[in-house]
Amino acid sequence: MGVWYFLILFVGLFLIFKGLFMKKQSLLMKKIGIVFVGVLCISLSIFMFSPGSAEIISDLLNLE
């Protein structure tokens, strides 16, 4: 499972760098959106690496 969390982390980092270093300045909303999705990916992966996150997710999804 940790492989998927690392993958989400690296995708988030890629999106942040892609959003920050875009060449066109006219696409400000697209740039902000890409950076926001990157931050969400990074925060999700850090949350999933924390101990006890599996129990929290199973409680949210009503899994037993």
Side-chain angles (χ1 to χ4, degrees):
M1 293 295 283
V3 174
W4 298 110
Y5 305 152
F6 273 116
L7 182 67
I8 293 171
L9 179 68
F10 291 133
V11 166
L13 288 173
F14 172 76
L15 288 173
I16 285 178
F17 283 119
K18 181 175 173 62
L20 289 178
F21 296 115
M22 288 178 76
K23 297 290 182 187
K24 297 182 180 178
Q25 296 296 328
S26 63
L27 301 173
L28 184 63
M29 291 304 291
K30 184 177 180 181
K31 189 178 198 178
I32 291 172
I34 289 173
V35 171
F36 183 70
V37 170
V39 169
L40 284 178
C41 287
I42 290 173
S43 62
L44 175 69
S45 67
I46 290 174
F47 168 72
M48 291 307 290
F49 275 123
S50 66
S53 64
E55 289 84 15
I56 294 171
I57 297 297
S58 67
D59 287 342
L60 287 174
L61 298 175
N62 294 326
L63 300 174
E64 293 191 20

